[in-house]
Amino acid sequence: MTEKMSRSLSRGLLHTVIIFITLLWLIPTIGVLVTSFRPAQDVANSGWWTVFESIFSSVRLTLRNYEVVLSRLGIGRAFLNSFLITLPATLIPLGIALFAAYALAWMRFFARTFVFMIIIALLVVPLQMTFIPILQIFNKSSLAGTFPGIWLAHSGYGLPLAIYMLYNFISGLPKELFDSAAIDGAPPFYIFLYIVLPLSVPIIASLTIFQFLWVWNDLLVALIYLGGTPDVAPITVQISSLVGSYGQDWELLTAAVFISIVPSLAVFFGLQRYFVRGILAGSIKE
Amino acid sequence: MYTKRLTPWFYLIPALAILGFFLVYPSFHTLYLSFFGKRSHTFVGAGNYIYVFTNRVMLTAFRNNVLWVAVFTTVTVFLGLILAVLFDRVKYEVIVKSIIFMPMAISFVSASVIWKFVYAFKPGGTPQIGILNALLDTFHLPPVAWLIEKPWINNFCLVAVGVWVWTGFCMVVLSASYKSIPKQFLEAARIDGAGEWGVFWKVILPLLMPTVIVLATTMVVFVLKIFDIVYVMTNGNFGTEVIANRMYKEMFLFRNFGRSSAIAVVLLLLVLPVMLLNLRRFRREERR
């Protein structure tokens, strides 16, 4: 066998392996997408892939499943709740973290190292350590089962990583900028507003996506602080309860799942560049 | 002068107040509650901890968490690394990377439903609607109840869902590190006669080791608290219980705050080494 032949053979093998793995990754999601458009009777009696076998004869597709989950199974309400929970729970911690990260990065003060060490330590504290005491306080102050309660909780849980990542970025800005602004007599707040904020836009974008996806996809925090009340339940909680009550109605479950992943996929594919940059900033420190 | 000294605190106080209220204070309170009984009235000493380390279901949960940590971490990091290296060699890299990375945007709840459908089981003789059992059917093999068959099949099936979601994350991080390796290193090894496997094990892996270690630690810390997948797919039945799901059950189902707190404390103890390591690294960097 010539070298050229063996090389093109191994190229062929490479492409085959890559395409095989990629398909493996895609197939489960395609199955869900297809199933969500099939009538209940077909879903229960034949695999979703049979749609492709009979593509030229009679494929029966329907939007009814979406209609049912949106109106009758509370997914419409839950979808709205998810937005009402996610938007403030993304923006509040980000704003608070920006102030803190700026102070930690460019101000020298007593106990600075100590404050920073607490934040580093809190990065890995399991949320489980906080549920019981906070829920008890929430119950007494009637914050349990309300949006403000979960906004605050998510703010607390998102802060350590947000401060840490913002600190890494803001402390890396060129020192001369801060020095010359200080010489010009700019007060700290002006420096924050007109230098730090505009320059931090890329990392702010990354963090917004992080926190958005984290809150949008969260199940546990919502279960703890919102309970199962359908009025306030986000889509993750609603789907997990549908799994209990409609476990075999795949056409409904798949439609609900597809509705829940549309916003996160949109954010993800629209802003993937920022997302990747954020991951790299957070995980590998250069 | 005084206002100047106070300025940093104006910026820090909102963050510190929230962190103190939502993370610091409750952690200490949970530690305290873990030494008390079901309703936090009677002091029980180490009673809850004895329960945690002797109860049969808890021991299953520990075994499964070990399995999660070992399998999930190894597979996500290694598969991520292999995919990063493989994808780097083809022109359509961006597309395939996006596809592997895509599940990161999907919640564990939705991922669980997606995979529950893959694992769907019907008794033999009826048409299978889950793709895995349909595949077995084409080879004339009997269907498998993937999520019930204990102790290994169902637990591995749950771990696979986590792997599906998180491999893309590892791939993205490792791909960035891989691309930063000067290509001459790899060429030099090839000219010296190393095969592709040799290059992978002797050049690429050692150079990426620091990233691999950071990534593996992140995965371990994350997966120790695994909850959603188990809660949605089996709720810990059929020998698939994990620590975090047990904590949730003790808290909401059995209303036993003492035991629930003790389980949380055990989770904290498990990540404590990582916390200390991070703190030490921070101190070292701070001194520079």
Side-chain angles (χ1 to χ4, degrees):
Chain A
M1 197 159 62
T2 65
E3 190 161 324
K4 203 174 168 192
M5 264 172 75
S6 103
R7 179 166 298 169
S8 71
L9 200 70
S10 75
R11 286 299 289 179
L13 188 68
L14 177 71
H15 291 304
T16 317
V17 169
I18 290 181
I19 289 166
F20 176 75
I21 294 176
T22 317
L23 278 179
L24 205 69
W25 238 256
L26 262 184
I27 284 172
T29 321
I30 296 175
V32 161
L33 180 62
V34 171
T35 304
S36 70
F37 290 108
R38 297 179 76 207
Q41 210 190 349
D42 292 9
V43 171
N45 294 318
S46 59
W48 57 268
W49 51 91
T50 55
V51 164
F52 299 107
E53 289 163 10
S54 55
I55 199 136
F56 295 113
S57 50
S58 58
V59 182
R60 295 193 294 168
L61 295 179
T62 172
L63 281 174
R64 217 186 108 69
N65 305 325
Y66 284 89
E67 205 183 300
V68 172
V69 294
L70 281 173
S71 59
R72 294 225 308 272
L73 299 185
I75 288 296
R77 173 80 230 195
F79 186 79
L80 183 70
N81 287 342
S82 272
F83 268 106
L84 293 176
I85 292 167
T86 305
L87 295 181
T90 303
L91 299 178
I92 298 170
L94 210 71
I96 293 172
L98 270 167
F99 281 98
Y102 168 55
L104 284 168
W106 291 102
M107 295 179 188
R108 291 289 166 273
F109 55 92
F110 169 73
R112 180 181 160 277
T113 311
F114 179 68
V115 169
F116 209 95
M117 286 180 71
I118 289 182
I119 288 164
I120 302 254
L122 291 180
L123 273 174
V124 295
V125 168
L127 303 188
Q128 278 81 359
M129 281 299 282
T130 69
F131 291 157
I132 292 173
I134 293 178
L135 188 61
Q136 285 174 344
I137 297 173
F138 271 19
N139 280 332
K140 274 182 219 145
S141 56
S142 63
L143 271 170
T146 68
F147 289 146
I150 198 162
W151 295 340
L152 284 170
H154 273 305
S155 301
Y157 298 152
L159 265 184
L161 184 67
I163 296 178
Y164 179 72
M165 282 178 61
L166 285 169
Y167 169 84
N168 281 342
F169 185 88
I170 295 174
S171 66
L173 295 173
K175 193 174 181 305
E176 297 78 40
L177 277 175
F178 292 86
D179 288 345
S180 60
I183 289 167
D184 291 344
F189 189 67
Y190 273 62
I191 299 180
F192 177 70
L193 208 60
Y194 294 111
I195 297 179
V196 174
L197 278 190
L199 289 175
S200 307
V201 167
I203 193 78
I204 294 174
S206 310
L207 267 172
T208 311
I209 302 165
F210 266 21
Q211 183 73 3
F212 178 90
L213 289 178
W214 159 251
V215 178
W216 183 270
N217 290 338
D218 161 76
L219 170 73
L220 183 55
V221 177
L223 273 180
I224 301 277
Y225 298 121
L226 294 178
T229 337
D231 296 349
V232 286
I235 197 156
T236 47
V237 171
Q238 191 62 19
I239 289 178
S240 84
S241 84
L242 290 185
V243 171
S245 43
Y246 293 86
Q248 294 307 311
D249 299 327
W250 291 109
E251 70 288 351
L252 299 178
L253 287 177
T254 51
V257 161
F258 208 72
I259 293 168
S260 87
I261 63 183
V262 164
S264 45
L265 280 184
V267 167
F268 178 79
F269 280 115
L271 303 164
Q272 195 175 1
R273 209 158 41 93
Y274 290 101
F275 188 56
V276 169
R277 197 177 332 179
I279 287 178
L280 298 181
S283 52
I284 338 174
K285 268 191 70 185
E286 52 286 27
Chain B
M1 191 62 221
Y2 276 113
T3 49
K4 197 165 182 203
R5 239 193 232 170
L6 285 175
T7 315
W9 298 103
F10 289 129
Y11 288 80
L12 281 166
I13 274 171
L16 292 182
I18 290 193
L19 288 174
F21 183 80
F22 282 98
L23 286 162
V24 180
Y25 147 72
S27 297
F28 285 105
H29 195 71
T30 298
L31 181 65
Y32 172 83
L33 289 179
S34 72
F35 296 106
F36 286 81
K38 194 172 174 180
R39 284 271 172 269
S40 316
H41 296 312
T42 42
F43 181 78
V44 296
N48 294 321
Y49 291 93
I50 293 172
Y51 166 82
V52 167
F53 289 112
T54 54
N55 175 272
R56 209 171 44 81
V57 186
M58 274 308 296
L59 293 180
T60 310
F62 279 118
R63 180 203 67 190
N64 291 339
N65 269 68
V66 170
L67 182 85
W68 272 93
V69 166
V71 179
F72 175 87
T73 310
T74 324
V75 179
T76 47
V77 174
F78 261 88
L79 190 58
L81 178 57
I82 289 170
L83 293 184
V85 174
L86 284 184
F87 289 176
D88 185 61
R89 295 158 177 238
V90 293
K91 289 205 185 74
Y92 46 91
E93 183 185 11
V94 183
I95 304 170
V96 281
K97 262 166 97 176
S98 280
I99 290 173
I100 304 291
F101 195 34
M102 184 241 351
M104 274 298 289
I106 298 176
S107 66
F108 269 160
V109 175
S110 294
S112 299
V113 176
I114 291 173
W115 279 85
K116 227 178 158 177
F117 190 46
V118 170
Y119 298 140
F121 165 82
K122 282 186 167 191
T126 40
Q128 295 293 336
I129 59 168
I131 196 163
L132 265 186
N133 278 326
L135 212 59
L136 289 182
D137 207 37
T138 54
F139 294 113
H140 304 290
L141 294 166
V144 175
W146 301 101
L147 295 175
I148 295 174
E149 215 57 59
K150 62 182 169 184
W152 303 117
I153 290 182
N154 56 2
N155 277 305
F156 275 107
C157 284
L158 295 182
V159 175
V161 182
V163 167
W164 181 70
V165 176
W166 276 85
T167 298
F169 175 86
C170 296
M171 175 200 67
V172 163
V173 173
L174 288 162
S175 169
S177 306
Y178 175 65
K179 284 181 196 299
S180 69
I181 299 178
K183 286 289 167 283
Q184 301 94 291
F185 286 17
L186 309 183
E187 282 312 312
R190 283 189 192 114
I191 289 164
D192 288 349
E196 286 308 306
W197 268 113
V199 174
F200 181 80
W201 287 105
K202 301 228 171 72
V203 185
I204 298 176
L205 194 61
L207 282 171
L208 294 186
M209 219 30 171
T211 317
V212 167
I213 289 171
V214 173
L215 208 50
T217 342
T218 315
M219 290 300 108
V220 169
V221 170
F222 169 76
V223 83
L224 272 173
K225 298 168 287 182
I226 193 73
F227 168 79
D228 307 24
I229 296 179
V230 177
Y231 177 83
V232 176
M233 293 186 87
T234 61
N235 197 18
N237 292 319
F238 321 116
T240 58
E241 193 62 286
V242 287
I243 301 176
N245 193 48
R246 200 66 204 162
M247 190 260 169
Y248 179 81
K249 277 186 188 164
E250 291 286 358
M251 181 175 172
F252 274 99
L253 224 56
F254 313 135
R255 300 262 157 199
N256 191 324
F257 293 160
R259 285 178 181 174
S260 184
S261 298
I263 298 175
V265 173
V266 170
L267 271 181
L268 178 71
L269 290 176
L270 290 173
V271 297
L272 210 58
V274 178
M275 186 194 287
L276 297 175
L277 223 68
N278 286 348
L279 284 173
R280 223 178 57 183
R281 205 178 55 187
F282 167 72
R283 291 282 291 271
R284 234 188 2 240
E285 279 166 17
E286 196 70 349
R287 242 176 269 140
R288 263 196 273 134

